[in-house]
Amino acid sequence: MRGRKDPEVTMLAFIDLEARVPAEHPLRTMKGLADRALAALSPEFDRMYADGGRPSIPPERLLKSSLLIALYSVRSERAFCEQLDYNLLFRWFLGMNLMESSFDPTVFTKNRERLLQHRVGQALFDEVVAEAHERGLLSDEHFTVDGTLIEAAASLKSFKRRDGDPPSTTDEDPGNSSVDFHGEKRGNATHQSTTDVEARLFRKGKGKEAKLVFMAHALMENREGILVDFQMSQATGTAERDAVPVLLDQARERRFHPKTVAGDKNYDTRDCVAAMRQRGVTPHVAQNTRGRSSAIDGRTTRHPGYPLSQRIRKRVEEIFGWMKTVGGFRRTRYHGLDRTGLAGYLVATAYNLVRMVKLLLDEATEPPIAQTA
């Protein structure tokens, strides 16, 4: 029989958000992991706010909102606040009932400086990594390092000389005039962006276009592909290699004991390899023999672990791919290295939660090992 809609509108309805979310939904496991990490940061949240005054939006809710923005590829904080009015799954994840109204998107802006001052983004990332370590999801010895470019929220038109006349325009549009850069040599030493002074003009390689970018650095655990560290820096020709000692030192502070670190050919320099060896780490970086001698010799490549590291290290590109496509971090929405770094930590945390949920659910559905007589 054909179904027809009920013309009568229900005036009163009882909706249980907990019952609306399927029991097997992966966001359930993710919510528990995020809540435990945020509970550990509660003392820091207390120090962030004054004892008196009007209560703010809970910082836990703002951070979980940022995770949802990355997980569900929401294009902006304003669009998220709009969806929060009608998305039951978002409300359930944030612990909001149906009677609460969505908060204003300027709440993110007003609280961002507070989060930056107390380094909350990095603290949340570290808590999630510690949770993965406690659950046995991380190895303690073999890692991969890599870097990628993140486009700045600035146009090439804003890249102007630090001193001197502005570039000539080709039309009389006062709002967004066309600029003629032909014949002008531009570089970071003589030019800077007027929109984001910390962005740097950089190109990925020969034949590639130059863009205003930042650089992201990741240290990945090889066994399960979880990020154990993430950082943002200005884009320079040596930024990837300069980040290696910092990443390794911070890994030791988190009680990891790296034995090998894989990397691409960009890390095959004598200084970078020496920095790894000084820290007791075997550099499993790809050999770069194009017109030069490699800093990696047979003492490293003869062992069976070297080709294994070279195969596994490519997984870090999958992490960057997720962060740029699903997480919306191909181009930052914020000005400045600090704000971009905070956004990067939150997207990296969202990726780790996705990966941890996948591993935990796989363990739960794994068939038991048969007992032998």
Side-chain angles (χ1 to χ4, degrees), residues 106-364:
T106 57
V107 171
F108 289 98
T109 306
K110 293 177 180 178
N111 283 272
R112 188 164 289 118
E113 290 299 328
R114 186 179 286 115
L115 297 176
L116 286 170
Q117 181 180 355
H118 291 263
R119 304 175 65 86
V120 173
Q122 181 176 358
L124 178 60
F125 177 86
D126 292 342
E127 287 294 336
V128 172
V129 171
E131 178 74 16
H133 201 15
E134 292 177 4
R135 291 174 176 266
L137 300 178
L138 293 175
S139 68
D140 196 36
E141 299 176 345
H142 306 291
F143 300 88
T144 293
V145 65
D146 202 2
T148 190
L149 298 179
I150 306 297
E151 293 184 32
S155 168
L156 283 176
K157 289 184 180 180
S158 70
F159 196 63
K160 303 177 181 179
R161 294 192 62 86
R162 297 175 185 268
D163 52 359
D165 297 330
S168 59
T169 59
T170 59
D171 57 36
E172 297 181 357
D173 184 355
N176 188 20
S177 59
S178 299
V179 181
D180 183 13
F181 291 111
H182 293 289
E184 180 183 359
K185 186 175 181 180
R186 297 188 294 170
N188 293 313
T190 57
H191 293 65
Q192 72 176 11
S193 171
T194 55
T195 304
D196 190 342
V197 296
E198 294 184 287
R200 292 293 179 266
L201 189 67
F202 194 85
R203 63 176 181 174
K204 191 172 182 179
K206 293 182 178 179
K208 300 291 184 178
E209 69 277 18
K211 298 180 179 180
L212 291 170
V213 294
F214 295 100
M215 184 162 284
H217 311 277
L219 184 65
M220 179 192 74
E221 178 272 333
N222 281 0
R223 188 181 68 186
E224 303 294 358
I226 294 178
L227 287 175
V228 298
D229 202 356
F230 181 86
Q231 287 189 355
M232 296 294 304
S233 73
Q234 291 182 318
T236 65
T238 62
E240 287 186 275
R241 297 186 292 274
D242 294 340
V244 171
V246 180
L247 294 172
L248 292 179
D249 291 341
Q250 291 186 355
R252 293 189 181 277
E253 292 176 2
R254 296 185 177 96
R255 300 180 181 179
F256 291 103
H257 304 88
K259 288 188 176 179
T260 67
V261 172
D264 56 29
K265 293 182 179 180
N266 189 46
Y267 297 93
D268 184 15
T269 63
R270 299 196 182 278
D271 291 341
C272 184
V273 169
M276 294 186 192
R277 295 191 186 279
Q278 288 173 1
R279 290 162 174 79
V281 177
T282 302
H284 280 186
V285 300
Q287 290 181 294
N288 185 4
T289 57
R290 180 176 295 182
R292 59 187 290 275
S293 60
S294 172
I296 305 296
D297 53 30
R299 293 175 299 173
T300 301
T301 59
R302 67 184 180 184
H303 296 286
Y306 179 79
L308 182 62
S309 293
Q310 286 300 299
R311 178 172 61 84
I312 293 177
R313 72 172 175 83
K314 300 174 184 178
R315 295 179 183 174
V316 72
E317 299 295 345
E318 299 175 9
I319 299 177
F320 288 146
W322 187 96
M323 294 179 66
K324 290 184 176 183
T325 54
V326 179
F329 200 54
R330 182 182 303 278
R331 186 175 191 266
T332 180
R333 304 184 183 104
Y334 311 101
H335 294 158
L337 183 60
D338 291 339
R339 290 178 176 80
T340 301
L342 173 61
Y345 271 120
L346 294 174
V347 176
T349 301
Y351 169 81
N352 275 350
L353 289 173
V354 170
R355 185 61 184 153
M356 290 170 64
V357 169
K358 173 69 165 57
L359 296 172
L360 292 173
L361 293 179
D362 287 347
E363 288 182 359

Side-chain angles (χ1 to χ4, degrees), residues 56-73:
S56 69
I57 300 296
E60 295 90 342
R61 187 168 290 176
L62 292 178
L63 291 170
K64 290 170 73 174
S65 298
S66 297
L67 295 178
L68 287 173
I69 290 173
L71 292 169
Y72 286 89
S73 306

